[in-house]
Amino acid sequence: MNAENNNTILLDHGAGGKASHALFSKMILPLFSNEYLDMGDDGAVYPVPAGRMAFSTDSYVVDPIFFNGGNIGDLAVNGTVNDIAMCGAIPLYISVGLIIEEGLPINDFQEIIKSMATAAGRAGVKIVTGDTKVVPRGKADKIFINTSGVGMIPDGVNVSGSRALPGDKIILSGTMADHGIAILTAREGLTFDGDLKTDSAPLNHMVKTMLSSGCEVHVLRDPTRGGVGTTLNEIASQSGVGMTLFEKDLPIKKQVNGVCELLGFDPLYIANEGKLLAIVPEKQASKVLDLIKADTFGKNAAIIGQVTDQRPGKVFLETAIGGQRLVDMLTGEQLPRIC
Amino acid sequence: MGLTYLEKFRDPSLAKNLVAAIHKESRHPLRLMEVCGTHTMAIFRHGIRNILPETITLLSGPGCPVCVTAQKDIDAFVAVSRQPDVIVTTFGDLMRVPGSGTTLAGQKGAGADVRMVYSVFDAVTIARQNPEKQVVFCAVGFETTIPTIAAAVLMAAKEKVTNFSIYGANKLTPPALAALMTTPGVSIDGFILPGHVSVITGVDAYRSVFETHKVPSVITGFEPIDILHAVLMLVRQNESGVPALENAYPRAVRQSGNPKAREVMHQVFTVCDAAWRGIGLIKNSGMELKPDFKVFDAGARFELNLTDVAEPKGCACGEILMGLKTPVACALYKKVCTPMTPVGPCMVSSEGACAAYYNYG
Ligand code: SF4
């Protein structure tokens, strides 16, 4: 059988023989091509500048694999780029592991690879090594992707979830819950007025601008799974501080808020894929906010709260009507398989 | 730019005025029960409890559908999921409620086909797509959801989707309120009545309970302004000593409700007695399939061999649903029972009182 001419991915494509080779050299390499990948060795060999590095990995099993504003491919690249950036690093190289279910349409595969290449280009990272496996029908769901990556931390940069200090301001780089709600509506075939799109985006340029501005940044984190609420809880307990958020200042799109109301979700716990939380000293907050707002992906950024020395480890929300409530860690799965 | 519809009902200055009026006018201690779980959640989410004066105690009532589902019904859902070639469909909250053995989520983990749906119609669709399987929908709901379930049964009947069935544990609100008022020890100075349910039932459905027990009652919506408004009305009724049945949600609730939805509901279902968790059997408080639609009854379709089981020891869900206790008074609360390791349904459902206390503190 000639696997190359078929229009779906077959087990042959992962068997290491001719078909595998064709898949890699015809469909993957031309799109990902760079001097390190092109070497064609078992692993990537690349130069590194002196200093500290950041290394991160993440696996993507999102269902559905295509959704409004993106697909599993760019999500996987952006996700790892952002994880590295949140360490205060400049992402350089990433690896890609593909686990494909037999029967995935070749067109879908190509579209995913193409988006990965575009996302890598946009973020300015190189895909330097990778692996492809094909598993029998039913042993995976269409395609799973693992990406890992490394980045360099510039001298003098020191960001960590344990560095939030009382008095610091909390900045969110844009509207909450866009990704989770886009996936949910795509998956459930729910149709709503307006444009519910994922916010999946690389945040490394935004981070670089912030860090090279001379402003002090204590914490950077991207509120993916578990949303803003869970991420801030993690930081609060890591740093041993309390936090107060202001409901009136939380950026959220009207349509997203509407869907949350309708389905009974709290947007504070819904995933984002192109947003970051920056915790910075009060006196630099407005400058950092301006820098974030100047970035393509930070237009709706806002200061959403502050770090306090009250009730360490806890996050509170001042509601729009003047009440107060606890924002606890998310328990259980609010939305499974969103990334 | 003017305020949008929703923003109007969250307007801070409007809220402030209402809160000020409540503080000014409330002199006697009042125990007010928000009957509906959606109200409980909204009250916690907007931080309403801590802006009210000390005179006012808010109690969560029996209006969280998952919380009032009897242990035996949960066991039945689990038992159905164990049958061969069955797909069980359910609303999300129900997945993690412990039956006497395991949960639906546990069954799913063990290989059963249990799927979360957002609407009963999704279950009919799944049935259509899987003609070789039996697709069972776990029907727990109040007047808000029963008409939709009825419509789905009618659709399945019309389109001959014969592999679809429901396991019914539906409940009606007014009989539960009547039962509450005759339970010894229960003391309630006012009901905050559920907006969504009342859209269907109308104001009139509460008339007989009100006439019998003369408890101040206000129907309202789920926005902070709606809830504060209802609290103020209940304070005024109590302070003036003139109880009334009032509608603070006229933008959605009509005197006679939605007769059309009720017609659909009564076309498919008939009133029956129902077991409420922690409360027990309440006369005429449930809805079962009429003989014409019995073929869609999962309970009859499968042999489930259920036995009566005791509810988990120490779980005070029942007393909490009747306003006799608050979650913090439950010995298991936060110690043994947490949202990760729930003992009772009130800790599982996002609308449950225990979960609300735990999550929003
Ligand atoms: S805390 Fe747990 S055990 Fe106690 S009443 Fe609530 S659900 Fe039941």
Side-chain angles (χ1 to χ4, degrees):
Chain A
M1 185 172 60
N2 187 348
E4 286 169 50
N5 294 338
N6 212 304
N7 54 8
T8 61
I9 297 277
L10 305 173
L11 284 171
D12 279 2
H13 284 120
K18 250 190 172 162
S20 303
H21 183 75
L23 184 78
F24 179 72
S25 60
K26 292 207 180 128
M27 272 184 249
I28 300 179
L29 190 61
L31 288 164
F32 288 178
S33 171
N34 58 64
E35 64 270 42
Y36 309 115
L37 184 66
D38 296 349
M39 298 287 288
D41 290 323
D42 277 355
V45 178
Y46 50 76
V48 283
R52 288 177 306 148
M53 298 185 78
F55 177 31
S56 184
T57 187
D58 210 339
S59 299
Y60 295 81
V61 297
V62 66
D63 169 36
I65 55 175
F66 292 96
F67 39 84
N68 199 4
N71 63 49
I72 189 169
D74 40 40
L75 189 69
V77 172
N78 290 336
T80 287
V81 162
N82 291 346
D83 283 345
I84 299 167
M86 295 311 129
C87 304
I90 296 164
L92 297 172
Y93 308 117
I94 66 172
S95 71
V96 172
L98 303 168
I99 297 171
I100 311 169
E101 184 192 18
E102 175 193 16
L104 179 76
I106 293 274
N107 285 342
D108 287 1
F109 178 72
Q110 275 179 315
E111 194 173 334
I112 290 165
I113 296 299
K114 218 188 282 165
S115 336
M116 295 187 86
T118 311
R122 192 159 63 155
V125 295
K126 295 191 160 111
I127 296 170
V128 292
T129 184
D131 175 55
T132 306
K133 293 281 184 317
V134 180
V135 297
R137 238 173 249 278
K139 301 288 178 193
D141 190 4
K142 297 181 195 79
I143 183 168
F144 296 155
I145 302 179
N146 171 275
T147 50
S148 302
V150 294
M152 292 304 304
I153 302 174
D155 271 349
V157 168
N158 183 11
V159 297
S160 156
S162 58
R163 295 197 63 223
L165 291 175
D168 285 358
K169 294 283 182 192
I170 304 166
I171 302 173
L172 176 63
S173 70
T175 52
M176 302 188 286
D178 296 350
H179 177 72
I181 293 301
I183 296 297
L184 174 83
T185 49
R187 182 187 306 164
E188 304 303 332
L190 302 171
T191 39
F192 291 101
D193 286 348
D195 201 12
L196 299 167
K197 245 164 104 172
T198 178
D199 58 346
S200 174
L203 300 170
N204 54 324
H205 303 305
M206 186 191 287
V207 169
K208 195 174 169 191
T209 315
M210 246 189 279
L211 294 176
S212 53
S213 68
C215 289
E216 206 181 324
V217 176
H218 289 158
V219 184
L220 286 173
R221 217 24 102 73
D222 54 342
T224 52
R225 246 183 328 176
V228 172
T230 303
T231 304
L232 288 178
N233 265 283
E234 285 164 6
I235 300 169
S237 54
Q238 250 182 298
S239 297
V241 294
M243 292 181 184
T244 304
L245 308 180
F246 304 103
E247 190 177 46
K248 65 174 182 15
D249 299 327
L250 288 172
I252 182 162
K253 286 190 186 131
K254 265 205 172 87
Q255 309 91 296
V256 172
N257 204 22
V259 175
C260 287
E261 290 283 333
L262 205 67
L263 300 176
F265 291 129
D266 186 339
L268 276 170
Y269 297 109
I270 307 268
N272 309 278
E273 289 289 344
K275 299 291 151 49
L276 60 77
L277 286 159
I279 299 184
V280 300
E282 183 178 6
K283 54 182 189 313
Q284 291 178 342
S286 67
K287 185 167 173 210
V288 175
L289 180 67
D290 289 343
L291 291 173
I292 295 177
K293 282 186 149 181
D295 190 276
T296 330
F297 304 114
K299 293 203 171 61
N300 297 313
I303 295 174
I304 61 165
Q306 62 205 28
V307 180
T308 68
D309 54 7
Q310 309 284 304
R311 297 171 288 206
K314 299 244 180 274
V315 180
F316 281 85
L317 177 77
E318 254 177 46
T319 66
I321 59 159
Q324 204 191 52
R325 72 156 159 101
L326 182 68
V327 178
D328 203 358
M329 283 264 194
L330 176 65
T331 34
E333 264 191 310
Q334 195 171 9
L335 296 172
R337 281 187 65 187
I338 38 149
C339 62
Chain B
M1 202 177 74
L3 288 176
T4 65
Y5 193 60
L6 275 185
E7 282 164 351
K8 198 164 100 194
F9 294 98
R10 290 187 181 178
D11 179 10
S13 61
L14 209 55
K16 226 168 159 187
N17 291 342
L18 285 168
V19 172
I22 294 168
H23 275 263
K24 190 164 151 238
E25 296 182 34
S26 172
R27 281 183 291 270
H28 303 90
L30 287 186
R31 293 162 56 82
L32 307 180
M33 174 177 277
E34 81 271 1
V35 172
C36 171
T38 314
H39 272 145
T40 302
M41 198 162 75
I43 286 166
F44 276 91
R45 264 185 71 173
H46 298 293
I48 289 177
R49 294 163 69 94
N50 49 32
I51 49 177
L52 292 178
E54 267 173 29
T55 40
I56 292 174
T57 309
L58 291 177
L59 306 163
S60 307
C64 147
V66 169
C67 304
V68 298
T69 301
Q71 183 99 20
K72 197 175 172 179
D73 290 323
I74 303 284
D75 283 346
F77 302 151
V78 169
V80 172
S81 77
R82 287 203 175 114
Q83 305 283 318
D85 296 318
V86 161
I87 301 173
V88 171
T89 55
T90 167
F91 295 141
D93 277 358
L94 212 49
M95 297 274 280
R96 295 174 53 240
V97 179
S100 54
T102 172
T103 61
L104 281 174
Q107 283 297 108
K108 186 177 160 81
D113 196 343
V114 182
R115 303 187 192 178
M116 197 173 115
V117 292
Y118 288 93
S119 153
V120 55
F121 288 105
D122 297 343
V124 181
T125 308
I126 293 172
R128 239 188 258 117
Q129 290 163 349
N130 298 276
E132 73 294 350
K133 302 259 177 153
Q134 285 291 327
V135 176
V136 181
F137 178 72
C138 304
V140 299
F142 291 106
E143 290 88 338
T144 3
T145 22
I146 307 175
T148 329
I149 297 170
V153 170
L154 286 175
M155 181 166 132
K158 190 166 156 236
E159 297 180 15
K160 304 207 167 44
V161 188
T162 50
N163 60 329
F164 169 79
S165 61
I166 64 167
Y167 192 98
N170 292 313
K171 309 239 169 7
L172 299 170
T173 310
L177 299 183
L180 261 188
M181 292 319 296
T182 51
T183 303
V186 168
S187 92
I188 294 162
D189 303 308
F191 282 123
I192 299 172
L193 294 174
H196 293 167
V197 163
S198 309
V199 169
I200 309 289
T201 62
V203 183
D204 295 338
Y206 305 100
R207 185 68 59 196
S208 110
V209 188
F210 174 75
E211 293 303 340
T212 318
H213 301 283
K214 295 285 185 219
V215 181
S217 303
V218 176
I219 295 168
T220 199
F222 301 94
E223 291 299 321
I225 300 293
D226 293 326
I227 296 169
L228 290 171
H229 190 196
V231 170
L232 180 61
M233 286 164 85
L234 289 170
V235 166
R236 285 183 176 157
Q237 288 187 29
N238 272 287
E239 294 296 340
S240 68
V242 188
L245 170 58
E246 293 181 285
N247 180 8
Y249 197 33
R251 67 181 190 277
V253 175
R254 278 172 295 172
Q255 199 67 26
S256 62
N258 182 342
K260 201 133 186 240
R262 286 204 306 274
E263 199 184 297
V264 174
M265 171 163 116
H266 289 292
Q267 192 182 339
V268 175
F269 293 105
T270 175
V271 172
C272 65
D273 300 344
W276 295 57
R277 184 172 194 114
I279 303 177
L281 200 73
I282 302 180
K283 272 215 148 331
N284 297 328
S285 69
M287 294 224 97
E288 63 183 6
L289 288 162
K290 282 187 163 172
D292 280 356
F293 296 96
K294 269 283 179 215
V295 287
F296 291 102
D297 184 2
R301 212 173 270 198
F302 304 99
E303 206 159 319
L304 297 177
N305 296 324
L306 296 170
T307 45
D308 272 315
V309 281
E311 280 162 11
K313 245 195 143 138
C315 172
C317 273
E319 286 155 286
I320 290 167
L321 299 173
M322 291 189 281
L324 293 169
K325 262 191 184 173
T326 57
V328 281
C330 168
L332 305 184
Y333 176 74
K334 265 195 183 173
K335 297 191 185 79
V336 181
C337 183
T338 70
M340 293 304 286
T341 53
V343 175
C346 302
M347 190 56 98
V348 179
S349 172
S350 53
E351 299 192 343
C354 300
Y357 267 75
Y358 190 99
N359 290 328
Y360 296 134

